[in-house]
């Protein structure tokens, strides 16, 4: 879109799809060559890894940001046809690929993005004029449930609800402060919330442990009752068998006497 122009590209995707795909293939080849060259240059200066500066991310390997902002303006079938192939290729190229999710309109493409095996991270952008991330916990949970890490730019007042509603596993929150005191307050609140979550997790763990012990004792008791019941029935049946045998013997003796 930057090279050709959005107004020219969209009609071409419908009228000359093969030409657009051929151009995308050439761009992808150039992208891979440039990215490999850049990575080779900066790797030693990045402790053997690479970073995305504006997102404050670092990874111990080939790491870069992918994006397709124009996908907010195209249908999912067009996304599958034109965008997914290059994202899949880039995810194979990179060790730690990250996707810049810019705009809630991209939610219609989310299942496709989550289906890419090597996509490690989705970075959720809160776009001006759209609802805040706290209105999309159901979508954010889908991302986490798919095993993807999640980066979110948040306002300080959003930190607590985000921590309360999302898993901390693979969650990276980016925020800002205008003063050191404000930054200290943000860190203090985050640590307090972390302590609360750890305590709640410990209570849940202990409750689960106790429940498991109750279940184990119940299963053990059930086994004991089953064994005792079998022993009781075996003894009773044995007694019945003895009585029947004696009765049968007496009947035969009586028959002989007759």
């Amino acid at each position: 879109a930057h090279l050709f122009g959005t107004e020219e590209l969209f009609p071409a995707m419908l009228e000359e799809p093969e030409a657009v795909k051929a151009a995308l293939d050439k761009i992808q080849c150039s992208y891979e060559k440039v990215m490999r060259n850049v990575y080779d240059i900066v790797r030693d200066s990045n402790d053997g890894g690479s970073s995305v500066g504006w997102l404050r991310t670092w990874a111990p390997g080939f790491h870069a940001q992918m994006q397709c902002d124009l996908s907010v303006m195209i249908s999912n079938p067009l996304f599958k046809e034109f965008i997914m192939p290059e994202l899949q290729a880039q995810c194979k190229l990179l060790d730690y690929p990250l996707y810049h999710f810019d705009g809630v309109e991209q939610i219609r493409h989310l299942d496709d993005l989550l289906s890419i095996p090597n996509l490690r991270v989705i970075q959720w952008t809160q776009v001006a004029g759209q609802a805040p991330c706290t209105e999309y916990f159901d979508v954010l949970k889908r991302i986490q449930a798919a095993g993807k890490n999640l980066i979110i730019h948040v306002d300080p007042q959003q930190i607590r609800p985000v921590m309360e509603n999302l898993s901390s596993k693979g969650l990276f929150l980016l925020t800002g402060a205008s003063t050191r005191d404000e930054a200290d307050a943000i860190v203090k609140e985050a640590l307090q919330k972390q302590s609360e979550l750890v305590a709640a997790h410990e209570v849940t763990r202990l409750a689960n442990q106790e429940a498991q012990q109750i279940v184990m004792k119940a299963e053990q008791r059930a086994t004991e009752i089953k064994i005792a019941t079998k022993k009781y029935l075996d003894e009773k049946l044995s007694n019945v068998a003895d009585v029947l045998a004696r009765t049968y013997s007496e009947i035969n003796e009586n028959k002989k006497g007759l």
Side-chain angles (χ1 to χ4, degrees), residues 42 79 149 170 179:
V42 303
F79 183 84
N149 297 323
T179 66

Side-chain angles (χ1 to χ4, degrees), residues 80-256:
K80 291 178 185 291
E81 182 177 359
F82 291 96
I83 311 304
M84 279 293 288
E86 70 175 32
L87 294 180
Q88 290 167 334
Q90 290 171 19
C91 280
K92 289 181 180 179
L93 170 72
L94 299 168
D95 298 320
Y96 298 91
L98 176 155
Y99 184 80
H100 171 60
F101 196 97
D102 196 349
V104 296
E105 297 87 354
Q106 291 194 47
I107 292 175
R108 61 177 170 266
H109 311 310
L110 182 58
D111 286 340
D112 293 302
L113 292 169
L114 297 180
S115 72
I116 304 176
N118 196 43
L119 178 58
R120 299 292 192 95
V121 189
I122 290 182
Q123 180 261 319
W124 180 276
T125 302
Q126 300 196 79
V127 178
Q130 294 186 345
C133 67
T134 49
E135 297 295 318
Y136 293 98
F137 283 136
D138 58 332
V139 179
L140 299 173
K141 287 178 181 178
R142 279 173 57 197
I143 294 172
Q144 291 193 314
K148 309 301 183 185
N149 297 323
L150 186 60
I151 298 174
I152 314 176
H153 277 98
V154 294
D155 297 328
Q157 65 270 20
Q158 294 175 326
I159 293 176
R160 176 171 283 270
V162 169
M163 292 181 69
E164 289 175 344
N165 286 276
L166 298 178
S167 169
S168 60
K169 184 179 180 180
L171 179 64
F172 182 29
L173 302 181
L174 292 169
T175 192
S178 56
T179 66
R180 179 167 181 171
D181 288 342
E182 184 180 344
D184 289 342
I186 292 172
V187 173
K188 182 179 179 181
E189 182 176 6
L191 291 174
Q192 180 182 351
K193 185 57 188 174
Q194 181 187 39
S195 298
E196 293 173 2
L197 292 172
V198 169
H201 174 75
E202 181 64 13
V203 170
T204 302
R205 187 188 69 79
L206 291 174
N208 288 337
Q209 187 178 35
E210 184 176 350
Q212 289 176 357
Q213 291 175 351
I214 292 173
V215 170
M216 288 177 61
K217 289 180 180 179
E219 290 176 346
Q220 182 179 357
R221 184 57 181 156
T223 300
E224 291 173 353
I225 292 173
K226 183 179 179 180
I227 293 172
T229 301
K230 184 178 183 301
K231 182 179 179 181
Y232 173 79
L233 291 175
D234 287 344
E235 290 175 353
K236 290 298 182 182
L237 289 174
S238 178
N239 291 336
V240 170
D242 289 342
V243 170
L244 289 175
R246 287 196 300 270
T247 302
Y248 179 75
S249 178
E250 290 174 1
I251 291 173
N252 285 337
E253 288 297 329
N254 292 332
K255 284 182 178 180
K256 291 177 182 178

Side-chain angles (χ1 to χ4, degrees), residues 9 36 207 251:
L9 176 60
R36 287 188 182 279
I251 291 173

